[in-house]
């Protein structure tokens, strides 16, 4: 990875932490710069605006969720294994990226319209990825029900930043069991 990409990633991670703790509108460019060890105006070398930073942050996590989700499904040995792999992936993501989940939930309206539509499209594809595997694992499910089940599992897993008071490994087990149960699945032996 090149140095500028490392710096951009560091700035985005710092921004996610600040936005999660104080809200998008509660963080100034000067605050971001200070937290990154540079002047506020120096941030414009990396991002044209604070909104551009938010857009890249939320678009990139949606792209990552979909890309890795597709990889996990492709590597799974069938639909039941794919559902487990998707749950494992989303739980892992939620535990590692708590601030991004908070930002996505709370600061959605601050996202520029074009980025918001891109995130929505990526999220629909991610939901459909889950719904397709749920329907393959249970052919009696219709598409709307499978999509609703996927959304319910996301809600359960994405509650982690607000309710994850257990150590991560213990929380991982709880979330995985609960999400699989909510999807009508059990961990295969």
């Amino acid at each position: 990875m090149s140095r500028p990409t490392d710096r951009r990633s560091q700035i985005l991670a710092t921004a996610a932490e600040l936005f999660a703790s104080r809200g998008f509108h509660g963080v100034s460019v000067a605050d971001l710069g200070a937290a990154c060890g540079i002047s506020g105006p120096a941030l414009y070398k990396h991002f044209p605006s604070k909104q551009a930073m938010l857009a890249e942050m939320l678009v990139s996590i949606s792209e990552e969720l979909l890309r890795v989700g597709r990889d996990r499904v492709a590597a799974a040995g069938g639909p039941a294994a794919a559902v487990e792999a998707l749950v494992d992936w989303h739980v892992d993501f939620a535990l590692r990226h708590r601030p991004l989940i908070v930002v996505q939930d709370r600061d959605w309206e601050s996202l520029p319209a074009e980025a918001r539509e891109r995130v929505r499209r990526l999220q629909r594809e991610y939901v459909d990825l889950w719904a397709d595997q749920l329907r393959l694992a249970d052919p009696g499910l219709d598409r709307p029900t499978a999509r609703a089940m996927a959304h319910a599992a996301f809600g359960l897993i994405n509650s982690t930043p607000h309710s994850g008071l257990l150590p991560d490994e213990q929380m991982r087990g709880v979330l995985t069991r609960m999400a699989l149960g909510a999807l009508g699945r059990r961990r295969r032996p």
Side-chain angles (χ1 to χ4, degrees), residues 140-157:
L141 281 178
D142 61 33
R143 186 166 216 43
T145 302
R147 292 183 100 251
M149 291 169 68
H151 279 288
F154 299 158
L156 185 152
I157 296 167

Side-chain angles (χ1 to χ4, degrees), residues 45-97:
K45 175 181 165 191
H46 303 281
F47 298 94
S49 67
K50 194 171 82 163
Q51 274 193 316
M53 206 177 300
L54 180 66
E56 185 169 326
M57 184 185 299
L58 297 183
V59 167
S60 68
I61 65 166
S62 296
E63 290 171 340
E64 181 182 2
L65 281 165
L66 181 58
R67 178 182 44 77
V68 175
R70 285 177 173 158
D71 291 347
R72 298 280 176 104
V73 167
V83 170
E84 287 181 26
L86 287 168
V87 168
D88 288 344
W89 159 237
H90 202 98
V91 167
D92 180 63
F93 183 88
L95 290 172
R96 287 185 300 111
H97 298 292

Side-chain angles (χ1 to χ4, degrees), residues 17 65 87-102 154 156-177:
E17 291 283 340
L65 281 165
V87 168
D88 288 344
W89 159 237
H90 202 98
V91 167
D92 180 63
F93 183 88
L95 290 172
R96 287 185 300 111
H97 298 292
R98 285 177 174 98
L100 290 173
I101 291 170
V102 171
F154 299 158
L156 185 152
I157 296 167
N158 290 346
S159 70
T160 304
H162 310 289
S163 61
L165 304 176
L166 299 172
D168 280 359
E169 280 313 303
Q170 192 175 353
M171 194 67 190
R172 181 180 314 279
V174 167
L175 288 171
T176 300
R177 282 189 307 278

